[in-house]
Amino acid sequence: MPNVQVFDTPEQLARAAAQFIADLAKASTEQRRFSIALSGGTTPRRVYELLATDEFSRQIDWRATHIFFGDERTVSSTHPASNYGMAKAALISRVPIPSANVHPISGEGDPRTNARDYVDELKSFFAGSNKPRFDLVLLGMGEDGHTASLFLGTAALQERNAWVSANWVEQLNEFRITLTAPAINAAKNILFLVTGEKKSLRLAEVLRGPDQPEKSPAQLIKPDNGLLIWMVDKAAAQGLE
Ligand code: 6PG
């Protein structure tokens, strides 16, 4: 059973997530380095802002921290929809992380080429490993049950081997570049952040309903040999007994 933690407010959830990340960064950098894949969307922005404040930033050895991304939209890094752009504004530009430690997914140009380039980047970072063993993958969940850019009905849901997919999302009429479920599931820790009443029905289906990942792709996330934590606020947790 996944570990589900319920918080009264999104702010309390964001602070708990920031402290969880700082603690994990400390524990991981003692063993050399800390690798984290960030999620996009609006929920994690506050977490990134908190990590950039003195309170949390001082707890993290940024020289040993490597920032990756769980998914990216096919836009330039300065576009408001860019996940890298959001993380840069909220976090990366505010902390002393070496630029070589930031590993964005390019959203410009051919998505298939960019997906291949991201795989190459991951393979060189996780050299010698047959899976990307992130210390932490952060995820959100949409009202429709998607996570990262694993959307309902898309080809990436069928991936069993590839680490990254240039995933055509018919309902958005665009490509997204995304880590696949097997790549995410190889992580040592996976943390979902979910807030808001609008997600409560889907959250209950994902956590308490039958296994139907084709309906709720978030159900594809089951770490092979790691920890899965859901931090949710009270509003999102309404459907959980
Ligand atoms: C993205 C994501 C995506 C996101 C969910 C939830 O790039 O949009 O990584 O999977 O986490 O859509 O987004 P919110 O937190 O904004 O609801």
Side-chain angles (χ1 to χ4, degrees):
M1 275 302 280
N3 171 337
V4 182
Q5 303 176 13
V6 182
F7 298 88
D8 282 344
T9 65
E11 181 65 13
Q12 285 171 9
L13 178 151
R15 288 191 62 83
Q19 192 55 61
F20 178 83
I21 294 168
D23 289 343
L24 202 57
K26 268 181 273 182
S28 306
T29 48
E30 273 164 20
Q31 297 161 25
R32 199 160 70 98
R33 65 184 190 189
F34 174 57
S35 55
I36 178 172
L38 302 182
S39 59
T42 50
T43 315
R45 180 193 299 263
R46 179 67 186 139
V47 180
Y48 303 160
E49 287 169 356
L50 284 169
L51 286 173
T53 61
D54 273 0
E55 179 186 358
F56 293 100
S57 178
R58 276 209 225 102
Q59 303 180 44
I60 296 172
D61 178 357
W62 292 104
R63 286 161 311 161
T65 297
H66 285 260
I67 295 182
F68 291 84
F69 290 80
D71 69 329
E72 188 54 276
R73 292 101 185 269
T74 40
V75 294
S76 82
S77 62
T78 53
H79 190 282
S82 165
N83 287 343
Y84 168 69
M86 186 277 273
K88 185 178 175 198
L91 174 64
I92 294 164
S93 64
R94 301 184 192 185
V95 295
I97 185 165
S99 56
N101 292 12
V102 182
H103 310 266
I105 305 171
S106 176
E108 278 177 295
D110 176 26
R112 291 186 188 90
T113 306
N114 294 338
R116 273 198 299 273
D117 288 349
Y118 193 47
V119 173
D120 290 345
E121 182 87 3
L122 292 169
K123 293 225 155 138
S124 98
F125 187 79
F126 294 104
S129 174
N130 62 352
K131 290 272 180 71
R133 188 119 170 95
F134 288 107
D135 292 301
L136 177 62
V137 176
L138 270 187
L139 293 173
M141 186 192 73
E143 281 169 55
D144 61 355
H146 80 266
T147 189
S149 282
L150 301 170
F151 284 85
L152 275 74
T154 60
L157 302 192
Q158 309 308 325
E159 281 298 349
R160 296 294 171 262
N161 295 306
W163 294 12
V164 178
S165 166
N167 195 24
W168 175 253
V169 185
E170 187 67 34
Q171 50 274 51
L172 300 175
N173 197 35
E174 67 185 24
F175 275 100
R176 292 284 187 95
I177 298 167
T178 185
L179 289 179
T180 60
I184 295 170
N185 288 336
K188 294 181 189 165
N189 296 275
I190 301 173
L191 174 60
F192 271 96
L193 304 177
V194 181
T195 62
E197 191 184 345
K198 287 186 180 160
K199 294 184 182 172
S200 60
L201 270 181
R202 179 67 61 178
L203 185 67
E205 271 181 32
V206 168
L207 292 177
R208 303 281 186 260
D211 207 24
Q212 292 178 307
E214 65 293 345
K215 240 185 108 194
S216 296
Q219 287 185 327
L220 289 170
I221 306 307
K222 293 180 186 141
D224 303 328
N225 180 18
L227 197 66
L228 173 61
I229 300 176
W230 288 77
M231 290 189 180
V232 308
D233 73 348
K234 239 176 26 193
Q238 280 173 53
L240 311 173
E241 74 277 15

